[in-house]
């Protein structure tokens, strides 16, 4: 019997896949536990419509991420840090501080976990911080570190 999976089933497949299982397994396990539905013409059409909707939503998310990346690329955030003699910095600027500065100065909600800073910014000047907005879109935010 062909079955459309409604949830991921270990050793069978992922949600939305059409799999061929024995009649007994389908009647006793898959259908009663609502793990899948029989692959008739109505259910196949519903699956096709769901896939089209999911593709449309994914495309809209990608376009929104690209627009946000273009907006972020044009802007700059300024972060102040304490310095000692000769412009030596005490500590470093972390992604948390950059996210807070972006919220305050640009009114942008940026997730600090999506900033790809291997370590803090440890020198004065302008640095480019990559921010992963989408699996296919990475924006570059300019961060200017200045003396307090």
């Amino acid at each position: 019997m062909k079955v459309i999976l409604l949830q991921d089933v270990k050793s069978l497949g992922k949600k939305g896949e059409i799999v061929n299982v024995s009649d007994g397994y389908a009647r006793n396990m898959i259908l009663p536990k609502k793990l899948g539905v029989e692959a008739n013409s109505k259910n196949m059409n519903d699956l096709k419509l769901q896939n089209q909707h999911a593709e449309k939503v994914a495309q809209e998310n990608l376009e929104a991420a690209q627009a946000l990346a273009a907006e972020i690329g044009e802007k700059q955030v300024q972060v102040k840090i304490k310095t000692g003699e000769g412009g030596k910095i005490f500590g470093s600027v972390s992604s948390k501080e950059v996210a807070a500065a972006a919220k305050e100065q640009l009114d942008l909600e940026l997730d600090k976990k999506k900033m790809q800073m291997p370590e803090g910014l440890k020198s004065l000047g302008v640095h480019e911080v990559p921010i992963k907005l989408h699996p296919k879109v990475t924006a570059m935010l300019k961060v200017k570190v200045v003396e307090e």
Side-chain angles (χ1 to χ4, degrees), residues 72 77 79 93-103 106 108-121 128-133 138-143:
I72 288 172
V77 172
V79 179
V93 177
S94 67
S95 59
K96 181 179 179 181
E97 292 165 317
V98 172
K103 171 75 174 148
L106 306 177
L108 287 174
E109 283 285 338
L110 299 176
D111 188 0
K112 68 178 183 177
K113 294 176 184 145
K114 294 187 178 182
M115 291 184 191
Q116 299 175 322
M117 293 172 52
E119 53 194 44
L121 305 176
E128 288 202 342
V129 176
I131 304 170
K132 194 156 181 97
L133 301 172
T138 301
M140 296 302 272
L141 176 66
K142 291 183 186 84
V143 179

Side-chain angles (χ1 to χ4, degrees), residues 18-148:
I18 300 169
V19 293
N20 202 5
V21 296
S22 67
D23 292 349
Y25 186 61
R27 271 196 311 270
N28 296 323
M29 179 73 175
I30 302 292
L31 300 177
K33 291 190 175 184
K34 306 255 189 271
L35 299 175
V37 292
E38 188 178 345
N40 57 26
S41 60
K42 179 196 177 299
N43 292 337
M44 295 286 280
N45 193 28
D46 289 347
L47 176 67
K48 183 178 171 186
L49 291 173
Q50 287 174 353
N51 288 342
Q52 288 175 348
H53 178 69
E55 288 174 11
K56 182 180 175 188
V57 168
Q59 183 64 30
E60 289 173 357
N61 288 343
L62 176 64
E63 290 170 1
Q66 288 172 337
L68 182 59
E71 181 183 338
I72 288 172
E74 298 169 359
K75 297 186 177 178
Q76 179 173 318
V77 172
Q78 184 170 331
V79 179
K80 293 181 180 179
I81 190 165
K82 288 190 177 191
T83 57
E85 280 186 38
K88 183 158 172 57
I89 290 182
F90 295 125
S92 65
V93 177
S94 67
S95 59
K96 181 179 179 181
E97 292 165 317
V98 172
K103 171 75 174 148
E104 181 183 307
Q105 296 171 18
L106 306 177
D107 200 31
L108 287 174
E109 283 285 338
L110 299 176
D111 188 0
K112 68 178 183 177
K113 294 176 184 145
K114 294 187 178 182
M115 291 184 191
Q116 299 175 322
M117 293 172 52
E119 53 194 44
L121 305 176
K122 297 181 180 183
S123 63
L124 297 175
V126 178
H127 304 274
E128 288 202 342
V129 176
I131 304 170
K132 194 156 181 97
L133 301 172
H134 187 272
K136 297 178 181 175
V137 179
T138 301
M140 296 302 272
L141 176 66
K142 291 183 186 84
V143 179
K144 184 175 184 180
V145 181
V146 295
E147 288 185 50
E148 193 173 89

